[in-house]
């Protein structure tokens, strides 16, 4: 994956500064909204009263604030791309593909701005308002449309800069034939479709309606061609979705569906859950939570042989409870634990593998950003999915512990002899980490006990982490700007992905693809568990080459209805899919966590890292088998929720 940042040229730098300021205000507004939500929760507990219809107000506020982060994301080029063929693509083609991506993103935001403003005008004429506070809807739509328009203008600035850079690239190493072939195929398909539509649009629409299966197959071919050519995933999915919907419903309706789905999603009461948990994670990092958790784990486990490896896994799990991201967890503990293990004589294969595998716990231990994305895409309960992931997360920790124990037992030379006296630091470490443990207990315990909604839980977490960082004296201007900048980048990237996924999902469902796939699978007469096994292999392969967010966006619209029709519970499937995809993150040859560790340990060969993770991959396969064989591992705890 690549997240592009930085622009050349004074105009681009000026745009980045201005949009960055807007984003800072937006994220500060989200945090202020969290304070209001926490105040409402406290008023409910202490005085038995609450702000009437607070959701109506906050949903509009959060929707506008999230939209306001998009221009800064555009200026900083935080677009999810798959650079699997990056090394095979020549500099000139890379530059021109970057320009094409910027133009696509400009069109993406421009269409959203246009259709959202049209909907806003319609709602203004109709006098639409919220049910209780009678809050007019039109201003919210106009504000969101304005930020979408600003994002489109920013992308045009990016495109101008990309054009200048593309023209300046000297002729040199060309692209490999496979890349040239993919580009030719994509251009051929797109131009062919445009020419057909220009000559006989009704005929093209009629063909798509008469051959929905083939139309969807072509859509997925275009999707993969665009993804492999490093075009922004959000725009590829949105373009395919809008184009497909246009063929079925016509131009204005397709644009309205795209805009209405995006706006309705932004106004969903749960929409602020993700940025609030992102804020929680960023403030937790600023507060030094990773150090606290590692010290506790080291004090508890450091006295046994291989204790630092066990402590790294435990620390990754604890850090995942506040960060919700596997790559961030691997990077953080790579910087924290690897120097310590290297200094004490741990073999590089074991030390790097432990961090890489432990990093996958960052996405599994709730609250998890990937779980939230799955919940938003499937309209499932975030709280139920969080709780469903808790037992599998504990199982993963125990299996990793068993893997470390067995690895050391088979090859004691991998680690030094056990050190004595490390538990003397346990009490100070526990005291230092108590606020973090309390924060996790309140956030997840409140969800499980029915005390909080998902948004309220996220608000409590964000405010709690902010107060923790403030109380420890870790907050200054630079830290605050860092937190706001990190939240802006992640929010802009993820929500752009979701907008594209909404359009793509609508087209897929409009053509009846999930039902067609279900009927086809039913004709095979294979047992559901066999089909599930094939899907697991498919997701293992995807997880080894793609980010978890990308896998979700591309596959959830088609695969989830299929799995539900096989008779499996959506909570079971959501957790299982996440576990499988995260296993792919450490699966050679392309597992992303492997490259994170290689970047941190430049003197360790990549082959050493890959050999080291093999026992952990086997542990993950055991975990997958157990989850499939015993669905209660993910379904029992949600069944006990209030």
């Amino acid at each position: 994956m690549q997240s592009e940042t930085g622009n050349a040229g004074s105009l681009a730098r000026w745009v980045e500064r201005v949009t960055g300021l807007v984003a800072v205000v937006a994220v500060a507004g989200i945090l202020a909204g969290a304070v209001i939500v926490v105040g409402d929760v406290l008023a409910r507990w202490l005085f038995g009263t609450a702000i009437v219809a607070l959701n109506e107000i906050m949903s509009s506020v959060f929707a506008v604030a999230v939209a306001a982060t998009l221009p800064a994301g555009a200026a900083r080029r935080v677009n999810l791309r798959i650079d699997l063929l990056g090394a095979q693509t020549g500099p000139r083609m890379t530059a021109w593909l970057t320009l094409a991506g910027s133009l696509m993103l400009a069109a993406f935001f421009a269409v959203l701005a246009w259709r959202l403003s049209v909907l806003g005008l319609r709602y203004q004429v109709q006098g639409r308002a919220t049910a209780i506070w009678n809050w007019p809807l039109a201003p919210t739509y106009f504000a969101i449309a304005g930020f979408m328009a600003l994002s489109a203008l920013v992308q045009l600035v990016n495109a101008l800069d990309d054009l200048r850079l593309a023209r300046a690239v000297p002729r040199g190493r060309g692209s490999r034939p496979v890349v040239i072939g993919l580009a030719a195929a994509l251009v051929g398909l797109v131009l062919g479709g445009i020419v057909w539509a220009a000559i006989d649009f009704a005929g093209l629409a009629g063909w798509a309606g008469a051959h929905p299966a083939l139309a969807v197959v072509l859509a997925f071919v275009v999707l993969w061609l665009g993804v492999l050519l490093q075009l922004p995933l959000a725009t590829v999915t949105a373009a395919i979705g809008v184009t497909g919907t246009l063929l079925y419903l016509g131009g204005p309706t397709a644009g309205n569906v795209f805009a209405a789905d995006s706006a309705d999603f932004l106004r969903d009461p749960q929409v602020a859950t993700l940025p609030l948990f992102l804020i929680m994670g960023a403030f937790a990092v600023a507060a030094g939570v990773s150090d606290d958790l590692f010290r506790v784990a080291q004090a508890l486990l450091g006295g046994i042989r291989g204790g630092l490896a066990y402590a790294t896994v435990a620390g990754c799990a604890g850090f995942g409870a506040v960060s919700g991201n596997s790559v961030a967890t691997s990077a953080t503990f790579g910087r924290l634990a690897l120097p310590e293990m290297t200094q004490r004589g741990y073999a590089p294969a074991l030390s790097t593998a432990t961090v890489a595998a432990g990093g996958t716990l960052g996405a599994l231990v709730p609250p998890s950003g990937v779980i939230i994305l799955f919940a938003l895409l499937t309209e499932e309960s975030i709280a139920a999915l969080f709780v469903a992931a808790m037992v599998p997360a504990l199982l993963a920790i125990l299996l990793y512990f068993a893997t470390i124990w067995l690895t050391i037992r088979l090859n004691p030379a991998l680690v030094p002899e056990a050190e004595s006296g490390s538990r003397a630091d346990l009490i100070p470490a526990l005291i230092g980490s108590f606020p973090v443990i309390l924060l996790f207990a309140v956030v997840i315990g409140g969800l499980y006990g029915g005390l909080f909604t998902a948004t309220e839980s996220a608000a409590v977490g964000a405010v709690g982490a902010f107060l923790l960082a403030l109380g420890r004296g870790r907050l200054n201007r630079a830290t605050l700007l860092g937190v706001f900048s990190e939240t802006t980048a992640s929010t802009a990237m993820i929500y752009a992905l979701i907008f594209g996924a909404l359009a793509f999902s609508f087209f897929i469902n409009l053509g009846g693809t999930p039902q067609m796939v279900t009927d086809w699978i039913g004709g095979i007469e294979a047992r559901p568990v066999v089909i599930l096994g094939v899907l697991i292999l498919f997701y293992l392969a995807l997880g080894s080459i793609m980010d978890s967010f990308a896998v979700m966006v591309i596959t959830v619209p088609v695969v989830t209805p299929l799995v539900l029709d096989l008779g499996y519970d959506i909570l079971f499937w959501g957790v299982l899919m996440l576990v499988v995809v995260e296993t792919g993150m450490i699966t050679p040859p392309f597992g992303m966590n492997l490259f994170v560790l290689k970047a941190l340990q430049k003197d360790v060969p990549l082959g050493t890292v890959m050999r080291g993770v093999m026992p952990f991959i086997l542990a993950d396969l055991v975990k997958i088998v157990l989850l499939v064989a015993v669905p209660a591992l993910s379904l029992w705890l949600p069944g006990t929720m209030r």
Side-chain angles (χ1 to χ4, degrees):
M1 301 295 155
Q2 65 186 32
S3 182
E4 301 173 83
T5 56
N7 283 300
S10 58
L11 177 60
R13 288 193 295 270
W14 179 82
V15 167
E16 190 169 349
R17 284 196 297 270
V18 172
T19 56
L21 179 60
V22 172
V24 165
V25 175
V27 177
I30 293 174
L31 182 59
V35 173
I36 295 172
V37 172
V38 171
D40 181 60
V41 171
L42 291 175
R44 247 186 6 241
W45 285 359
L46 300 176
F47 309 111
T49 186
I51 301 174
V52 177
L54 180 62
N55 273 350
E56 284 191 356
I57 302 171
M58 298 313 301
S59 63
S60 293
V61 171
F62 285 141
V64 173
V66 169
T69 65
L70 297 175
R76 295 173 56 190
R77 299 176 179 260
V78 286
N79 312 308
L80 187 63
R81 304 171 188 244
I82 313 299
D83 59 356
L84 182 62
L85 298 179
Q88 283 75 44
T89 308
R92 285 179 63 84
M93 181 172 284
T94 297
W96 288 107
L97 286 172
T98 301
L99 171 61
S102 294
L103 291 173
M104 289 177 65
L105 284 165
F108 170 75
F109 287 117
V111 170
L112 273 175
W114 171 40
R115 301 314 301 180
L116 280 168
S117 62
V118 170
L119 286 175
L121 288 170
R122 181 184 303 169
Y123 290 166
Q124 186 176 41
V125 171
Q126 295 172 348
R128 291 213 192 174
T130 58
I132 298 176
W133 280 100
N134 202 32
W135 185 304
L137 294 180
T140 300
Y141 279 72
F142 289 144
I144 296 173
F147 288 119
M148 297 294 180
L150 181 57
S151 301
L153 291 174
V154 171
Q155 287 296 344
L156 287 177
V157 172
N158 289 343
L160 289 173
D161 198 46
D162 293 336
L163 177 61
R164 178 181 63 81
L165 293 174
R167 295 176 64 182
V169 174
R171 291 190 178 276
R173 180 180 64 86
S175 300
R176 296 289 178 86
V178 62
V179 177
I180 296 173
L182 291 174
L186 179 60
V187 171
L189 284 172
V190 172
L191 286 181
I194 292 173
V195 170
W196 190 356
I199 296 173
D200 183 15
F201 181 81
L204 177 59
W207 176 85
H211 305 86
L214 185 55
V216 168
V217 169
L218 285 175
F220 271 100
V221 169
V222 172
L223 171 64
W224 280 105
L225 288 173
V227 164
L228 291 174
L229 289 170
Q230 305 174 68
L231 294 175
L233 179 59
T235 54
V236 174
T237 52
I240 293 171
V242 173
T243 302
T245 305
L246 184 149
L247 293 177
Y248 286 122
L249 302 179
T253 303
N256 286 343
V257 167
F258 182 34
D261 281 356
S262 299
D264 289 346
F265 172 80
L266 281 175
R267 294 185 62 253
D268 187 294
Q270 294 191 124
V271 74
T273 305
L274 184 55
L276 285 172
F277 275 128
L278 291 173
I279 291 173
M280 170 184 167
F283 276 125
V285 171
V289 162
S290 55
D291 294 324
D292 295 332
L293 294 171
F294 187 59
R295 280 202 304 272
V296 170
Q298 189 174 353
L300 282 170
L301 303 166
I304 60 178
R305 188 163 192 175
L308 273 180
Y310 294 110
T312 298
V313 169
C316 285
F319 186 70
V322 292
S323 75
N325 183 284
S326 61
V327 174
T329 302
S330 293
T332 299
F333 272 81
R335 288 188 287 267
L336 192 65
L338 283 179
E340 190 81 12
M341 285 194 277
T342 300
Q343 180 182 351
R344 300 196 184 189
Y346 281 69
L350 178 63
S351 60
T352 54
T354 301
V355 176
T360 64
L361 298 173
L364 184 57
V365 177
S368 161
V370 183
I371 291 178
I372 295 174
L373 177 61
F374 179 83
L376 293 174
L377 291 175
T378 59
E379 299 182 0
E380 185 54 46
S381 165
I382 293 175
L385 280 163
F386 277 176
V387 174
M390 291 181 69
V391 173
L394 179 60
L395 175 65
I397 296 169
L398 295 176
L399 286 172
Y400 284 168
F401 278 1
T403 301
I404 294 170
W405 178 84
L406 185 60
T407 301
I408 295 173
R409 187 70 180 265
L410 293 175
N411 189 359
L414 292 173
V415 298
E417 293 293 334
E419 298 180 9
S420 58
S422 63
R423 294 198 179 186
D425 299 325
L426 180 59
I427 299 301
L430 283 174
I431 293 174
S433 63
F434 176 75
V436 183
I437 298 171
L438 178 63
L439 181 63
F440 174 77
V442 170
V443 168
I444 301 301
L447 269 178
Y448 175 74
L451 299 176
F452 303 142
T453 64
T455 303
E456 290 169 346
S457 172
V460 169
V463 173
F466 169 74
L467 293 176
L468 178 61
L470 183 65
R472 290 183 170 183
R474 300 288 186 93
L475 288 187
N476 51 42
R477 182 175 179 272
T479 304
L480 277 173
L481 289 177
V483 168
F484 290 167
S485 175
E486 180 181 337
T487 304
T488 294
S490 299
T491 301
M493 182 192 75
I494 293 170
Y495 281 91
L497 280 174
I498 291 174
F499 296 151
L502 290 172
F504 185 70
S505 178
F506 186 84
F507 159 61
I508 292 296
N509 286 294
L510 194 63
T513 304
Q515 188 58 49
M516 285 190 294
V517 174
T518 300
D519 293 342
W520 178 72
I521 293 292
I524 298 176
E525 297 183 356
R527 295 178 60 189
V529 70
V530 174
I531 298 170
L532 189 66
V534 173
L535 290 174
I536 287 172
L537 293 175
F538 171 68
Y539 274 99
L540 279 173
L542 280 185
S544 68
I545 61 173
M546 298 177 71
D547 180 86
S548 303
F549 289 110
V551 173
M552 292 280 184
V553 167
I554 292 173
T555 65
V556 162
V558 175
V559 177
T560 298
L562 167 62
V563 173
L564 298 184
D565 282 338
L566 291 174
Y568 292 103
D569 188 273
I570 192 169
L571 299 179
F572 162 82
W573 171 242
V575 173
L576 178 64
M577 180 166 60
L578 174 60
V579 167
V580 175
V581 171
E582 289 300 316
T583 300
M585 296 283 284
I586 60 170
T587 301
F590 302 115
M592 191 183 306
N593 283 9
L594 305 180
F595 292 93
V596 171
L597 269 296
K598 170 59 182 171
L600 292 173
Q601 292 284 90
K602 293 183 173 59
D603 58 327
V604 178
L606 185 59
T608 300
V609 182
M610 291 181 177
R611 286 194 301 273
V613 297
M614 295 311 295
F616 293 94
I617 293 174
L618 292 176
D620 279 343
L621 294 178
V622 171
K623 176 176 59 183
I624 291 168
V625 170
L626 288 174
L627 289 175
V628 172
V630 189
L633 289 171
S634 53
L635 296 179
W636 167 71
L637 201 56
T640 65
M641 291 177 68
R642 295 180 182 177

